[in-house]
Amino acid sequence: QVQLVESGGGLVQAGGSLRLACAASGPTFVRSTMAWFRQAPGKEREFVAAIRWSGGSTHYTDSVKGRFTISRDETKNTAYLQMNSLKPEDTAVYYCAACRTCNPATTTVGWYAYWGQGTQVTVSS
């Protein structure tokens, strides 16, 4: 199956940048779409961005458009989330997820079968 390991979280000031990485193992056909979700304490887990592994089609939630960029390195089996112009409301645990049958417009948590352990992103004001 698929194993996902996130890295790159940390503490940054508002306006700063971070790049998250998600190292994936397992066959690519069961991770045809990879995505980033985030969850703040006491809140629902929410969709952030997704990318189709083959072809690179992407989709973003409105609140991060123009600030975040999702990408993947096919040779390294790694997905990235470049986060610029960070705001305090971006503070959350960020999770990498994978789906076998999704397209990048799939934003529902339940469609993603594989999840990483999460990495904390904290943006100070």
Side-chain angles (χ1 to χ4, degrees):
Q1 297 294 329
V2 172
Q3 300 288 328
L4 305 172
V5 180
E6 303 99 330
S7 62
L11 173 64
V12 297
Q13 297 182 92
S17 298
L18 283 173
R19 188 178 72 159
L20 306 183
C22 176
S25 62
T28 58
F29 77 89
V30 294
R31 50 180 175 89
S32 60
T33 295
M34 296 186 66
W36 291 94
F37 289 77
R38 64 187 181 187
Q39 187 168 22
K43 295 186 177 181
E44 298 288 332
R45 190 170 300 184
E46 65 174 352
F47 174 86
V48 177
I51 186 167
R52 188 76 172 182
W53 193 260
S54 178
S57 178
T58 61
H59 182 71
Y60 299 89
T61 192
D62 287 344
S63 64
V64 307
K65 287 181 178 178
R67 300 190 298 123
F68 291 9
T69 302
I70 188 170
S71 62
R72 84 275 191 256
D73 186 332
E74 295 171 278
T75 65
K76 297 181 178 180
N77 293 313
T78 300
Y80 301 93
L81 185 68
Q82 178 67 47
M83 304 184 294
N84 298 326
S85 302
L86 283 161
K87 305 174 181 179
E89 52 262 44
D90 295 318
T91 295
V93 176
Y94 282 69
Y95 296 91
C96 181
C99 175
R100 180 174 62 87
T101 60
C102 298
N103 61 63
T106 303
T107 62
T108 303
V109 169
W111 274 92
Y112 291 82
Y114 306 99
W115 295 85
Q117 82 286 355
T119 186
Q120 177 71 48
V121 172
T122 302
V123 184
S124 62
S125 61

